[in-house]
Amino acid sequence: SAVRDLNQPLIPGEKERCPVCGMLVSPDSEWIAQVRHEDGTTVFFDGCRDLFEYLLSLDRYAPKKSHKNVAAVFVTNYYDGETIAARTSYFVAGSNVMGATGPELVPHRSLEAAQDFAQDHDGLRILRFDEITSTTLRAIL
């Protein structure tokens, strides 16, 4: 069914651009993030920072969309490059690991992995999906 399909991540095409920064989203990037809308639209990002910027400013980037129409959100797990569900991930803020466009929220599948990463890479905070707001984005990046 179409709903189940929306719960599967996609791979960006060669010409996909991040709607926030305008950069091409490379299909082999280790930072790919994506939002799947219920109407089947998929939006790709070159990192979690731009993903959250988009979600926190839907009225600006996708005025015809609403949060209740977001079917799924995916990010790329830092250590193995697998695509994972963003809503259950742990994000390390303020680390010394840079993304495609600078400071980045680094996603992890488990709290243990996030803690190890934060310790190894000077991470300042570990955040859950719902804890990331415009204020926390500005404070940590």
Side-chain angles (χ1 to χ4, degrees), residues 109-122:
R109 177 184 291 112
S110 70
L111 177 58
E112 293 75 24
Q115 289 169 333
D116 288 347
F117 176 88
Q119 190 171 1
D120 293 346
H121 297 282
D122 299 329

Side-chain angles (χ1 to χ4, degrees), residues 2-10 19 33-45 50-51 54-74 87:
V3 172
R4 188 164 56 247
D5 294 344
L6 290 173
N7 290 319
Q8 297 301 316
L10 297 181
Q34 61 188 277
V35 169
R36 308 248 11 230
H37 290 283
E38 283 181 353
D39 65 4
T41 314
T42 301
V43 186
F44 294 98
F45 305 88
D50 286 349
L51 164 80
Y54 173 88
L55 287 173
L56 294 167
S57 307
L58 264 185
D59 53 340
R60 176 176 165 198
Y61 294 106
K64 292 183 168 56
K65 310 268 193 246
S66 74
H67 286 280
K68 66 179 187 290
N69 303 128
V70 172
V73 183
F74 296 101
R87 290 180 172 123

Side-chain angles (χ1 to χ4, degrees), residues 19-134:
V20 175
C21 73
M23 275 185 57
L24 282 170
V25 179
S26 167
D28 57 356
S29 167
E30 64 265 33
W31 295 103
I32 294 173
Q34 61 188 277
V35 169
R36 308 248 11 230
H37 290 283
E38 283 181 353
D39 65 4
T41 314
T42 301
V43 186
F44 294 98
F45 305 88
D46 56 1
C48 294
R49 184 180 63 189
D50 286 349
L51 164 80
F52 281 103
E53 182 65 36
Y54 173 88
L55 287 173
L56 294 167
S57 307
L58 264 185
D59 53 340
R60 176 176 165 198
Y61 294 106
K64 292 183 168 56
K65 310 268 193 246
S66 74
H67 286 280
K68 66 179 187 290
N69 303 128
V70 172
V73 183
F74 296 101
V75 293
T76 303
N77 187 54
Y78 180 78
Y79 283 120
D80 62 14
E82 285 185 16
T83 303
I84 56 175
R87 290 180 172 123
T88 56
S89 297
Y90 296 82
F91 297 89
V92 177
S95 78
N96 57 19
V97 171
M98 295 294 125
T101 58
E104 192 52 272
L105 291 162
V106 183
H108 299 276
R109 177 184 291 112
S110 70
L111 177 58
E112 293 75 24
Q115 289 169 333
D116 288 347
F117 176 88
Q119 190 171 1
D120 293 346
H121 297 282
D122 299 329
L124 299 177
R125 286 179 71 191
I126 297 172
L127 300 161
R128 299 309 308 266
F129 184 86
D130 292 334
E131 294 177 306
I132 299 170
T133 64
S134 297

